[in-house]
Amino acid sequence: MMIVMSPQATQLEIDAVVARLETTGVHVRVMPGELTTAIGAIGDPEGVRELGLEGLGGVDRVVPISRPYKLASSELSHHEATVLDIAGRKVGGGKTFTLIAGPCTVETREQTLAVAHAVKAGGAAMLRGGAFKPRTSPFAFKGLGVPALEILAQAREETGLPVVTELLDSAHAEAIAEHADVVQIGARNMQNYALLEVAGKLGKPVLLKRGLSSSLDELLMAADYVLKEGNENVMLCERGIRTFETATRFTLDLGAVAWLKLHTHLPVIVDPSHAAGDRRLVEPLSRAAAAVGADGIIVEVHQDPEHALCDGPQAMFASSFHAYARDVAAHAALLGKVLA
């Protein structure tokens, strides 16, 4: 349920509603707006109805939230977009476009620092890099682990770029929290609900990728697992889904971006690298993502992709990143957005 307060409601009246809701054991979230305050009550709707909140001072109306996802729903936020502030970079809200770029996997210190400086010069707002990598084959390179996190931290120190890296296992949570600025949950773990709860409790912004065969409702309900831990800094990522088509690695669902912008208040990022599986397709898909209204892109960049230890065919050359960023920024500008 959502309790909408009147514009004249006082803080004492808001606190009284919150206190009454908490007696039922529901999850309560207060959302101040420009004109009025909304209070989300996630839990037993019948118990909330029985409280008779309409009779309390300052309450305008009580509205049921119809979606199966609650905290991620745009209904809960009065259809106002959430804007994340990550080390001064604004993500979401319709005014900025965020470029997150870097190597699929941290291989060496030299490789990572070189790419970090290249994407920084090209206009990236954040640095991505894998320390722990989920691989389909158990014999493939799975990342350097904690030493990779230390390399990423050095790259942040040298470039000022916040670090985005994947949380693969709850055992890695402490190390990730120490070194990362944004915690990524990969597609294979989108419905690993225990891991989502761990990510939510870390208190870091979370980049949640859509599962390979997951519906958008399932993606938003997965986001609720993070949000219910009190972590409101969540970004969603469309990275391509598995369909009958085999021409590309996955099918990039750009319709999902437009749909998500209607139904959730959370920022939406697009990953054209994993969807395409081919660097020649990454730029046109990136331009399309910017034009359809995405809040940003996460893209793989390597100074020598042909010798990369992970996903080389889809990684862009660091030497061409500046031109790529310029062209994508031009398409984002069609919607009035500037690079974050």
Side-chain angles (χ1 to χ4, degrees):
M1 308 289 284
M2 180 169 66
I3 297 86
V4 181
M5 305 299 291
S6 69
Q8 296 78 30
T10 66
Q11 187 61 50
L12 285 176
E13 290 171 330
I14 293 170
D15 293 342
V17 173
V18 170
R20 179 71 70 87
L21 287 169
E22 288 176 342
T23 64
T24 67
V26 299
H27 179 89
V28 180
R29 179 179 171 194
V30 179
M31 295 158 292
E34 288 187 17
L35 299 177
T36 186
T37 294
I39 304 171
I42 311 302
D44 176 22
E46 289 303 321
V48 174
R49 289 190 188 98
E50 291 173 1
L51 294 176
L53 297 175
E54 294 90 340
L56 292 184
V59 174
D60 180 23
R61 62 192 184 278
V62 179
V63 183
I65 299 172
S66 59
R67 306 287 178 183
Y69 42 89
K70 306 299 182 184
L71 297 173
S73 172
S74 56
E75 294 178 74
L76 192 64
S77 66
H78 290 298
H79 296 271
E80 293 181 5
T82 290
V83 180
L84 277 60
D85 187 324
I86 302 172
R89 281 77 170 172
K90 302 291 186 181
V91 185
K95 296 182 179 179
T96 61
F97 191 82
T98 304
L99 288 178
I100 306 170
C104 173
T105 307
V106 173
E107 299 169 8
T108 66
R109 188 177 306 274
E110 293 73 24
Q111 162 248 6
T112 303
L113 294 179
V115 173
H117 284 284
V119 299
K120 166 70 173 181
M126 295 183 231
L127 173 68
R128 62 149 296 154
F132 302 95
K133 294 296 296 181
R135 304 301 301 276
T136 303
S137 169
F139 307 108
F141 178 62
K142 300 184 186 66
L144 298 177
V146 173
L149 293 175
E150 295 169 351
I151 293 171
L152 289 169
Q154 181 181 348
R156 175 180 56 217
E157 184 177 347
E158 291 190 11
T159 64
L161 295 177
V163 167
V164 182
T165 195
E166 183 169 354
L167 174 63
L168 188 59
D169 190 300
S170 58
H172 308 149
E174 186 176 337
I176 294 287
E178 181 181 352
H179 294 92
D181 299 284
V182 178
V183 177
Q184 176 182 310
I185 299 294
R188 292 170 177 83
N189 275 316
M190 189 206 84
Q191 290 181 303
N192 184 341
Y193 301 125
L195 189 65
L196 293 176
E197 291 177 340
V198 170
K201 292 173 182 175
L202 290 179
K204 301 273 187 176
V206 173
L207 176 67
L208 177 62
K209 288 195 168 187
R210 182 183 181 184
L212 282 61
S213 301
S214 298
S215 69
L216 294 175
D217 275 5
E218 289 169 335
L219 172 62
L220 291 178
M221 286 188 280
D224 270 0
Y225 270 88
V226 179
L227 293 165
K228 79 176 182 62
E229 298 300 330
N231 186 346
E232 300 179 7
N233 294 318
V234 177
M235 297 175 277
L236 305 173
C237 182
E238 166 57 43
R239 47 82 70 207
I241 54 175
R242 184 166 285 157
T243 69
F244 60 83
E245 184 55 74
T246 58
T248 53
R249 187 176 181 185
F250 295 95
T251 299
L252 184 60
D253 185 4
L254 289 176
V257 177
W259 188 92
L260 287 167
K261 299 302 287 185
L262 289 174
H263 295 282
T264 181
H265 56 92
L266 301 173
V268 181
I269 305 295
V270 170
D271 178 351
S273 300
H274 281 89
D278 182 337
R279 74 176 62 89
R280 297 171 298 179
L281 302 177
V282 169
E283 184 170 337
L285 291 179
S286 300
R287 294 197 301 264
V292 82
D295 294 296
I297 286 172
I298 181 168
V299 65
E300 295 184 359
V301 181
H302 198 287
Q303 80 273 37
D304 185 12
E306 294 175 359
H307 294 94
L309 298 180
C310 177
D311 290 343
Q314 67 195 36
M316 298 182 58
F317 284 91
S319 58
S320 63
F321 180 78
H322 187 278
Y324 160 84
R326 179 195 61 213
D327 292 343
V328 173
H331 281 71
L334 296 175
L335 298 181
K337 298 180 181 180
V338 297
L339 290 184

